[in-house]
Amino acid sequence: MTESVINKIKAMELQLFIYKNIALHFYYSKDSVTNGNIRSKNIFIYFPGLPQKIDENFFTDKIDRNTAFFSVHYLGSWLSGGNFTFENCKRTIELSIEFIKGKKGIKTFDNKEISWEYNNLYVMGYSFSGNPIISAKISKKDVRNVILFSPLLFVYRKEVEKYLKDKRAIDNFYGSNLFYLEFLKRGYKFAFRGIGKESWNKYFSGKELKSFTEINKNFPNVIIFHGKSDEKINYTSSLFFQKEKQSSANVILIDNVGHDLKKLFDAKRINKLI
């Protein structure tokens, strides 16, 4: 561990909030605190893939006095209460934005209130989070951009058939989805309360009509980073999203990178785009 990273760890603050059953971790720099108020130019709300439980080390080298992150647990998962359903994943995103817009919260550590200010709010998601984020009610009045990494954008079979013409490839896609679902049921049934319900079989097999993607004119512009070597989610889905759903979307394809958040997350490139 370099001296620079050690110094950033020392400079980082972490708080946990519970808002309407949702657990949110807040990562920010001590340098952004003035008179007890956190002042950060950009705040990013991060929503994970499955079963990813991101640790604080991921944010260590990404925060500074102008940059802060909220990392969220979906309703019914990990530290959040409630049930883990597709509808609650969308609700998690909407309620998280509602909470952060309020610019204050009660810390679970000491039950005291702290507040924050920001210029720009961004929604950020990886893998599984793509479809719930795109399906959620998000306004560009509240969120400047939506930034996605290797997003699972389409799970409704009729949509997938529009960009994957090969029937074998489509069958393999849903076969892999259902295999992964069984893995989650076996290993993470306590972390995702409800993952064993039949509704998730319907979702991952492409039969859930509610996963159909519709983008309205008030939705923020989308930036997508997708690895060309991604074997889990084919990058053509991101190109299809740009073509059919939001022509203004910015899709950045990365050579020799697979389904790897750490390699896709280029802070310098993101800052140039936003």
Side-chain angles (χ1 to χ4, degrees):
M1 189 178 292
T2 66
E3 184 178 350
S4 175
V5 173
I6 292 172
N7 290 335
K8 286 193 173 184
I9 292 174
K10 291 180 178 178
M12 185 174 73
E13 290 281 5
L14 170 59
Q15 302 294 344
L16 172 65
F17 303 96
I18 302 295
Y19 178 71
K20 296 184 178 179
N21 265 347
I22 297 171
L24 306 95
H25 284 98
F26 189 22
Y27 301 86
Y28 59 94
S29 172
K30 292 177 181 177
D31 293 337
S32 64
V33 181
T34 304
N35 297 325
N37 186 55
I38 302 157
R39 185 72 180 88
S40 185
K41 179 181 178 182
N42 299 317
I43 288 184
F44 298 86
I45 321 173
Y46 174 77
F47 297 94
L50 300 180
Q52 185 182 3
K53 181 175 180 291
I54 203 159
D55 62 60
E56 62 184 71
N57 292 330
F58 178 80
F59 298 103
T60 299
D61 63 347
K62 298 174 179 62
I63 64 161
D64 55 39
R65 64 183 304 166
N66 293 313
T67 308
F69 288 85
F70 277 90
S71 181
V72 184
H73 294 162
Y74 302 108
L75 283 166
S77 76
W78 299 101
L79 299 182
S80 291
N83 297 311
F84 184 68
T85 66
F86 175 64
E87 287 296 327
N88 272 347
C89 287
K90 293 193 294 183
R91 182 165 171 77
T92 299
I93 291 152
E94 294 163 0
L95 288 176
S96 297
I97 295 171
E98 177 182 282
F99 172 69
I100 295 164
K101 281 172 53 184
K103 299 183 178 181
K104 61 183 179 181
I106 303 297
K107 297 178 289 180
T108 61
F109 178 69
D110 58 10
N111 208 38
K112 294 181 179 179
E113 183 179 278
I114 61 170
S115 60
W116 53 86
E117 295 287 339
Y118 59 86
N119 294 348
N120 307 301
L121 183 62
Y122 300 89
V123 166
M124 181 175 281
Y126 171 58
S127 192
F128 164 81
S129 68
N131 188 267
I133 288 174
I134 293 299
S135 301
K137 294 178 181 178
I138 304 176
S139 172
K140 57 188 176 184
K141 292 180 180 179
D142 301 323
V143 174
R144 188 175 179 88
N145 290 116
V146 167
I147 305 168
L148 302 175
F149 304 92
S150 293
L152 180 63
L153 293 169
F154 306 104
V155 290
Y156 185 49
R157 190 171 182 118
K158 290 183 179 179
E159 283 196 284
V160 173
E161 288 171 347
K162 291 181 181 180
Y163 73 88
L164 282 181
K165 304 299 182 183
D166 186 339
K167 185 179 185 301
R168 180 178 294 180
I170 293 171
D171 290 340
N172 287 341
F173 173 74
Y174 287 111
S176 297
N177 279 359
L178 290 172
F179 177 85
Y180 193 68
L181 176 61
E182 291 305 312
F183 158 67
L184 291 172
K185 290 178 182 178
R186 290 193 299 270
Y188 292 86
K189 61 182 179 180
F190 300 117
F192 297 93
R193 279 85 63 191
I195 195 69
K197 291 184 178 179
E198 184 61 32
S199 59
W200 281 111
N201 289 65
K202 186 177 179 182
Y203 179 82
F204 278 101
S205 65
K207 298 175 183 177
E208 178 53 78
L209 178 59
K210 291 178 181 178
S211 68
F212 180 82
T213 302
E214 291 184 287
I215 299 291
N216 63 48
K217 63 181 181 180
N218 291 319
F219 198 88
N221 199 53
V222 177
I223 301 170
I224 299 175
F225 293 87
H226 212 138
K228 284 187 176 181
S229 301
D230 194 330
E231 295 182 350
K232 294 183 179 179
I233 302 173
N234 195 293
Y235 71 87
T236 57
S237 64
S238 292
L239 295 176
F240 178 81
F241 174 84
Q242 182 188 52
K243 179 183 177 183
E244 300 291 339
K245 302 294 183 176
Q246 191 185 78
S247 60
S248 60
N250 190 355
V251 179
I252 298 96
L253 302 179
I254 314 295
D255 291 326
N256 304 314
V257 173
H259 202 70
D260 190 326
L261 177 63
K262 290 183 178 179
K263 292 182 179 179
L264 290 168
F265 197 110
D266 185 331
K268 291 181 179 179
R269 179 177 278 183
I270 292 169
N271 287 332
K272 287 181 180 179
L273 290 171
I274 63 175

